[in-house]
Amino acid sequence: MANERLRGAIVESGLTLDQVAARLGVSAKTVDRWISEPNRKPYRRFQYATASLLQSEVSYLWQEERTSAEVTEAGAAELVQLYPHRSVVPNRLWPQLYAQAKNHFDVLVYSGFWLTEDAAFHRVVKEKSAAGVSVRFMLGDPGCAAVEARGVDEGIGPAMSSKIRNALLNYSSLFGLPGVEFRLHSTTLYNSIYRADDEMLANGHLYGVGAYMAPVLHIQRVPGGELFDAYAESVERVWENARPISSPDNVGGQRT
């Protein structure tokens, strides 16, 4: 059953879904899901922001509010495995994870160079493309300030931009495949995120440390959980603001 109270409050406010989304800093698709999917409640901060925007009470827009203990319990259920370093994650896990994808296949990184050399991963991408699954790659824009800063932070300087360009070259055979899209983003990347439907690997980034030495969370979406959706929403924000590229040759920017 849709959240008709939220739908009605938006209509009464005179705002469109796009306008509500823009003021809250989320996507219009996310707001639509809050309305159409009864189990998809926004995080508490968005509930209060939405209620304030629509001049309504949180308890009116979203009934049966859960306690913090319930939220914590659901969050614990979302955690499948914690790896202290990406380097100890089994190499087979990435292609195994993506082999299950039917609706969402997302890769959000700066370069993710090690993955570009995984033949099993390339094979899965091609299989999913042939099966009609949408595959989205988001790599860092080699010429942007965020990538430059990350290179300095890791002590590799311009090599970070070079790694991205080389990663794109390694993906050359994937450009042009049905349903496979590449975009470049200029965000400060707090996590590299690898999503396959309702599971994902989130590789955190630590200042001055290469991603291969940073922790990885293997999480899954569970009813009532908020952790998975928090990461998934960040992927959508990056995708919406990233610029499409059609080949490794039209990256643009200063070559290193």
Side-chain angles (χ1 to χ4, degrees), residues 12-154:
E12 188 172 339
S13 72
L15 298 173
T16 65
L17 287 185
D18 287 335
Q19 290 171 326
V20 171
R23 297 192 187 187
L24 296 177
V26 300
S27 67
K29 183 185 297 184
T30 295
V31 177
D32 182 65
R33 286 172 178 164
W34 294 346
I35 297 172
S36 60
E37 300 179 24
N39 293 325
R40 183 68 65 85
K41 290 184 179 180
Y43 309 117
R44 191 64 61 90
R45 66 183 185 277
F46 287 129
Q47 290 181 14
Y48 284 114
T50 304
S52 176
L53 176 63
L54 302 179
Q55 299 183 351
S56 299
E57 296 292 333
V58 171
S59 59
Y60 172 79
L61 297 176
W62 290 281
Q63 297 177 296
E64 300 178 1
E65 278 299 291
R66 297 174 297 155
T67 65
S68 59
E70 290 172 326
V71 173
T72 301
E73 183 178 354
E78 290 182 277
L79 181 63
V80 177
Q81 182 70 49
L82 169 62
Y83 297 95
H85 312 295
R86 194 191 72 202
S87 58
V88 302
V89 179
N91 290 336
R92 66 181 183 279
L93 184 55
W94 271 269
Q96 285 179 349
L97 183 76
Y98 282 116
Q100 306 171 34
K102 296 181 179 179
N103 300 300
H104 296 279
F105 188 127
D106 296 328
V107 177
L108 170 59
V109 293
Y110 270 155
S111 72
F113 185 78
W114 56 275
L115 195 59
T116 74
E117 298 184 311
D118 188 331
F121 175 71
H122 279 252
R123 184 165 57 250
V124 170
V125 173
K126 293 175 181 178
E127 290 172 354
K128 292 305 170 181
S129 169
V133 177
S134 174
V135 179
R136 304 189 301 180
F137 285 94
M138 290 153 270
L139 278 72
D141 190 326
C144 76
V147 166
E148 180 181 2
R150 182 64 186 175
V152 172
D153 292 346
E154 289 192 12

Side-chain angles (χ1 to χ4, degrees), residues 206-228:
L206 302 175
Y207 180 80
V209 177
Y212 71 97
M213 286 297 293
V216 173
L217 297 177
H218 183 182
I219 58 179
Q220 63 184 346
R221 174 179 279 148
V222 301
E226 297 186 354
L227 184 60
F228 182 96

Side-chain angles (χ1 to χ4, degrees), residues 3 28 40 51-52 60 88 119 132 149 159 169 183 188 192 219 229 236:
N3 188 338
R40 183 68 65 85
S52 176
Y60 172 79
V88 302
L169 288 174
R183 292 188 181 184
T188 299
S192 293
I219 58 179
D229 286 342
E236 295 304 322

Side-chain angles (χ1 to χ4, degrees), residues 143-184:
C144 76
V147 166
E148 180 181 2
R150 182 64 186 175
V152 172
D153 292 346
E154 289 192 12
I156 62 175
M160 178 61 71
S161 293
S162 297
K163 286 174 64 176
I164 295 172
R165 295 184 187 280
N166 289 337
L168 290 168
L169 288 174
N170 285 351
Y171 282 141
S172 292
S173 64
L174 304 181
F175 278 86
L177 290 179
V180 178
E181 296 182 76
F182 284 84
R183 292 188 181 184
L184 299 179

